[in-house]
Amino acid sequence: MTGLRRAIAELETNPRQREAFHHEGHCVVLAPPGSGKTKLLTTKAVWLANNAVAPDRGLACITLTNPAAAELRTRIRRLGQTAGRTVFVGTVHSFAWSHIIRPFASAAGYPKLSKYALAPRGEANAAMREAIRRVFSSHEDTRYVDSTVRRHRKLCLTEEEWTATGPGIRAVALEYERLLRGNDYVDFDDVIAMAARLVEEHLFVRTVLHARYPYLMVDEYQDLAPGLHRIVTALSFDAGNTTLFAVGDPDQAIYGWTGTRPELLLELAGRESVHRVDLRINYRCGALIAAAGRRILGSDGPEAVTSREGGSVTTRCEPRGLSAQANYIAGRILELQADEVPLHEIAVLAPTHDDCDELVTALRSHDIPVAWRADAYSSTPLTTTLESFAAWASCGREDSGYKLGDLLDQWQQLGDWEVLRVGTDDVVTVLLSAAADTSAGEFVETVMTIMESTGALNALRSDDANELVHMREALDPSGEMSHFSVRDLGRLRLRDGRVEVSTMSASKGLEFDHVFIAALEQGKLPFFNSARGSAAWNEDRRKFYVSFTRARETVEVLYSGWYMTKWGSRKSNGPSVFLRESGLV
């Protein structure tokens, strides 16, 4: 039985999944953690690509983040389908840039739009600082101007709504945009606003996109901000004809800083032309974990339905602080390891990067291998491909889980297919000759030499080009990852043999047998300036829920009742209020 047939057969055993899989029109699937919603989406996408999409047409699978897009590609490949011309897989931003702005901006009367580049983070941050300096005087309090402007731009406010924010905020936004345009730059928020305008105002854009992509599949719809929602609705409803299949869960909306509004998913599901399917069964969490998760949410909805019995939930106070929590966790990990639990089935989660750094240091002091990616560079299609190359080169197909053919397909989708195909043989030679213990920096530079010789380096997408700079800086002899070997770089794509350490936000989409959640202090979660009942407070609660439901078998929550701020002051606020409200303390 092929992977696709097996996946379909498994869906057929769940009446609600079967209903969504066979529905032919617009469909929105609402589903709790571990309910198989992403499996449902990828299975339906591959089936449609092979049975319902005409030659020279395709379908688009989009999601918010690069790691989520990489997971979609992996699942689609496992079902026997290569992501490429027939099946586009990527972030909503890459779809907006590559398939809306670049092809249609000039024809729609905006020739400059297609010539702009994505601003590097440093350039964008410098432009924002300069815009604030020009608008506000030196004695005014501007601590929250940056974050306020960025959030309002993500929300794609109307002029009337901008007016309500105050003259200073709008002035900073306009000056920031003027400074970017002066350098032929746009940022991610500009990309979405421009793409939304093109699909909403121009019928020919919607017509051509429908002809190319008659089906639009959206994973984790609750993470889409209003501008992204406008693009989807314009393509599928407002004089658009593209068939929409979307999956998501408002209770897992934890990216508020991107402007997300989880209620948009419920509005979408309530449209008259949309068929709504509610999945109920959590296949991941033990019954006790799922029940505790519902208490964390304080949900009045239906009781959690699980396919797994048991589960274990414990809460522990370590009054000596985070270092004591880390030492306790290390001891427990060693016990689990002695019981032959694979290390990659263990996760340690915490609210902040600083918390994770302290936990990583403690675990490594106990000789526990750790998977932890700091902020050296972000995941993009290119950086992910380079890490995947390193995984295959150092571990081989059997241990890495990657097929060489799939990696080369991934390589050729980074830009112009014809240009990248020219360097394919050289890439294969590099992968076959790379030694696992050699420098990761040298390995990446060798691949970059191939890209430069073929002209592919100059044709990279802006986000790939920006993060490549950060990746090369990190792997440089003076960089923070200078000690990385090819094996170390490859292991960033693999979990085998290492404990996963992650912030609570970054844990979304992952699952483990055993999960430790550290630093659950009031002031850290919820964050100290999240007002009770506010959107930020509710998102902090959902963040705890998402982290909690990563576990299949056990969850251990730790707190001390106090923490040290980065300015050196001690805050003795007690455990997180969410622990008390959910009955965990």
Side-chain angles (χ1 to χ4, degrees), residues 36 152 169 268 291 345 379 455 535 543 561:
H152 287 336
I169 297 298
L268 184 70
E345 289 295 352
S379 291
K543 191 181 301 182

Side-chain angles (χ1 to χ4, degrees), residues 464-522:
D464 276 335
N466 291 342
E467 292 310 318
L468 176 60
V469 171
H470 297 301
M471 184 183 204
R472 295 171 86 173
E473 289 175 348
L475 294 171
D476 185 79
S478 60
E480 59 187 286
M481 297 170 64
S482 60
H483 61 288
F484 265 47
S485 65
V486 174
R487 179 183 289 107
D488 293 328
L489 185 64
R491 281 179 172 170
L492 293 176
R493 303 306 315 158
L494 309 174
R495 288 169 46 199
D496 240 15
R498 297 178 303 160
V499 172
E500 183 84 18
V501 176
S502 171
T503 61
M504 298 171 76
S505 296
S507 71
K508 187 176 177 181
L510 304 177
E511 57 183 85
F512 307 88
D513 285 344
H514 306 279
V515 171
F516 297 88
I517 307 177
L520 262 294
E521 322 295 348
Q522 184 68 16

Side-chain angles (χ1 to χ4, degrees), residues 43-56:
T43 302
K44 180 156 185 168
V46 174
W47 188 90
L48 288 171
N50 286 276
N51 295 277
V53 175
D56 297 323

Side-chain angles (χ1 to χ4, degrees), residues 326-370:
N327 287 328
Y328 168 79
I329 291 171
R332 286 287 295 119
I333 290 173
L334 294 174
E335 291 175 5
L336 290 170
Q337 192 176 19
D339 290 337
E340 300 185 349
V341 173
L343 289 179
H344 65 265
E345 289 295 352
I346 303 171
V348 181
L349 313 179
T352 71
H353 277 88
D354 289 343
D355 296 330
C356 289
D357 282 335
E358 186 169 343
L359 290 163
V360 167
T361 299
L363 295 181
R364 286 176 174 163
S365 73
H366 288 81
D367 295 324
I368 295 173
V370 171

